[in-house]
Amino acid sequence: MKLYTAVNQNMTMRQILKKKLSTFPIVWNTYQAVKVQFKRLWLLTYFLRDIINAYRNMYWPLHLKSNLQLTSELLFQFHKIEKGLVMPGPRRFFGQEPARAVINLLNTWDLKGLPLGDPVYLGALETLHAYKERLQSESLDKNDKVLSYVQSFLINHPTRTRLLATPHQLVSMNSDIANNPHHFDELVSIRRSVRSFTSMEVPREIIKHTVGLAQLSPSACNRQPCRVYLITDDIKKNALLALQNGNNGFGHSIPALAVITSDSAAFFDASERHEPYVDGGLFSMTLMYALSAQGLATCCLNWCVSPDKDVALRNILPLADSEVVIMLMAIGYPETDVLVPRSPRKSTDNVLVEVF
Ligand SMILES: Cc1cc2nc3c(=O)[nH]c(=O)nc-3n(C[C@H](O)[C@H](O)[C@H](O)COP(=O)(O)O)c2cc1C
């Protein structure tokens, strides 16, 4: 009796209640079932943050204020013309609406005094020049729906940037690339997630070069929503890693941490709500391969966190409200003879579905 009281004194009310409930199987099972459902419902509140993000940041008609949104819409619009310029089949009139939109956006760019040497601005001008030339050379705009409008704009914007001339011939793989030891198949086969790094610093030039390569990844309408935050400062790195649950046992050995983000403001409305993640995944993969090709090792670190941790990350890094975190990435030189898990892949027969 004495022992029973002593145990009870150390138990919280909740524990006592649970203990009591567990003696009634029907009540106990109902309690467990309700608890599971509550947990499931509670986890759905995580979506609230996505909803708020989409509401705040993903609606161009109201939000075309930031430079990022201007850049994104400009890319989006002139990409429609770029695509029109390469379509197969007989040449047809196209691009009237996007051409007008591009001119409006370029005028806004001028008014805002944004840099005139920016590749997006220059690329848009090149596209308009190519469009004008196509309309003229093929006499596609017989009723002058847009040609003179484009012409008069270009008279005041005569800059040409041959390097950005569009369209251009697809470069085919030459034998040098095919014979390179880092041929793609090999690169893909040898990359593995590494969880043990030397303390050797990761050269900035390599990071810059590989981020440049990652920028060549495809993105929806070429809007390029990704950004890479590189953290090497120990205090910030440790604070970020403390928020993440997948680096136990090796976080301390990570010399450089990248936080890869994608900006939802680059997307026109909530119908595109998944695009930041799709583009972010493609970008991250290219970055990983580019780093592997330079002899560096990586390990993706999931950002599957509760909203409060996401807020905590934003207190450490200067993310825009519209940026979503795609993943964290450990980057460094692997320890000599480092071991990695085998991580077998499923049979390709379970992945490739040939539909006849
Ligand atoms: C989005 C994503 C998140 C990941 N998060 C973690 C993580 O938090 N911790 C970790 O040790 N590995 C993480 N990984 C690595 C995977 O475990 C690893 O890619 C997978 O097991 C396949 O192994 P491999 O990369 O060596 O081929 C992550 C991978 C991806 C793509």
Side-chain angles (χ1 to χ4, degrees), residues 327-348:
M327 65 170 76
L328 276 50
M329 191 185 288
I331 305 172
Y333 288 99
E335 279 288 4
T336 322
D337 300 329
V338 71
L339 294 175
V340 293
R342 179 76 64 188
S343 305
R345 298 317 201 242
K346 298 182 204 170
S347 156
T348 305

Side-chain angles (χ1 to χ4, degrees), residues 95 107 146 185 292 311 331:
N107 282 329
V146 72
D185 292 5
S292 287
V311 170
I331 305 172

Side-chain angles (χ1 to χ4, degrees), residues 277-343:
Y277 300 99
V278 176
D279 289 1
L282 293 168
F283 180 98
S284 306
M285 188 74 257
T286 310
L287 178 61
M288 263 189 288
Y289 283 139
L291 289 162
S292 287
Q294 295 286 337
L296 279 152
T298 57
C299 184
C300 305
L301 300 171
N302 75 80
W303 193 240
C304 309
V305 295
S306 52
D308 57 308
K309 292 204 168 147
D310 198 60
V311 170
L313 175 138
R314 286 160 199 276
N315 289 332
I316 302 170
L317 300 177
L319 263 61
D321 180 57
S322 47
E323 277 178 277
V324 293
V325 176
I326 301 301
M327 65 170 76
L328 276 50
M329 191 185 288
I331 305 172
Y333 288 99
E335 279 288 4
T336 322
D337 300 329
V338 71
L339 294 175
V340 293
R342 179 76 64 188
S343 305

Side-chain angles (χ1 to χ4, degrees), residues 13-265:
M13 274 304 282
R14 203 162 154 221
Q15 285 169 323
I16 296 168
L17 206 66
K18 267 187 167 179
K19 202 171 170 184
K20 278 238 156 19
L21 276 182
S22 64
T23 56
F24 303 100
I26 296 178
V27 181
W28 178 249
N29 290 341
T30 313
Y31 163 74
Q32 289 296 340
V34 170
K35 203 171 121 185
V36 166
Q37 293 308 324
F38 264 112
K39 177 95 200 272
R40 288 176 76 193
L41 285 172
W42 170 249
L43 286 171
L44 292 184
T45 64
Y46 285 20
F47 284 113
L48 278 178
R49 209 180 148 75
D50 298 334
I51 293 172
I52 292 167
N53 180 38
Y55 182 74
R56 275 204 205 142
N57 301 307
M58 298 179 86
Y59 194 60
W60 281 356
L62 277 183
H63 294 292
L64 195 58
K65 293 184 186 82
S66 72
N67 294 349
L68 175 95
Q69 281 162 333
L70 179 63
T71 305
S72 302
E73 186 164 9
L74 186 54
L75 283 163
F76 175 79
Q77 295 292 357
F78 84 73
H79 184 60
K80 290 185 197 172
I81 304 174
E82 276 196 305
K83 282 203 301 192
L85 289 166
V86 299
M87 285 302 155
R91 300 275 157 90
R92 294 177 285 114
F93 176 61
F94 70 97
Q96 180 185 351
E97 294 297 324
R100 289 183 181 278
V102 168
I103 289 173
N104 278 339
L105 293 160
L106 288 173
N107 282 329
T108 310
W109 190 291
D110 291 342
L111 278 174
K112 282 184 144 209
L114 296 176
L116 302 183
D118 189 290
V120 174
Y121 181 86
L122 295 172
L125 281 181
E126 267 314 305
T127 304
L128 278 184
H129 277 289
Y131 179 60
K132 182 199 80 173
E133 283 154 18
R134 174 68 63 82
L135 293 187
Q136 282 174 326
S137 65
E138 309 272 334
S139 306
L140 295 178
D141 189 6
K142 298 224 165 46
N143 300 321
D144 193 20
K145 288 182 183 155
V146 72
L147 182 55
S148 29
Y149 186 64
V150 174
Q151 272 173 322
S152 51
F153 175 81
L154 288 177
I155 285 168
N156 297 321
H157 294 80
T159 315
R160 299 300 308 257
T161 316
R162 289 288 162 205
L163 263 178
L164 296 174
T166 187
H168 75 107
Q169 193 87 47
L170 176 71
V171 180
S172 50
M173 191 150 123
N174 62 39
S175 54
D176 278 358
I177 299 175
N179 295 329
N180 190 300
H182 282 306
H183 183 271
F184 189 69
D185 292 5
E186 189 181 340
L187 183 66
V188 174
S189 309
I190 61 172
R191 185 215 58 80
R192 285 278 86 89
S193 295
V194 165
R195 299 175 180 88
S196 181
F197 300 95
T198 67
S199 57
M200 212 199 305
E201 216 175 280
V202 180
R204 289 291 150 89
E205 318 81 71
I206 294 190
I207 297 284
K208 200 160 179 204
H209 173 69
T210 51
V211 168
L213 290 174
Q215 284 184 263
L216 299 178
S217 310
S219 65
C221 298
N222 196 30
R223 277 169 287 175
Q224 310 165 52
C226 292
R227 221 165 270 137
V228 179
Y229 293 83
L230 180 70
I231 301 104
T232 48
D233 169 74
D234 277 340
I235 295 176
K236 287 206 171 95
K237 200 172 47 178
N238 293 338
L240 289 165
L241 289 171
L243 299 169
Q244 201 272 345
N245 62 5
N247 66 86
N248 287 345
F250 70 100
H252 61 278
S253 81
I254 299 172
L257 183 69
V259 175
I260 297 152
T261 69
S262 192
D263 204 317
S264 350

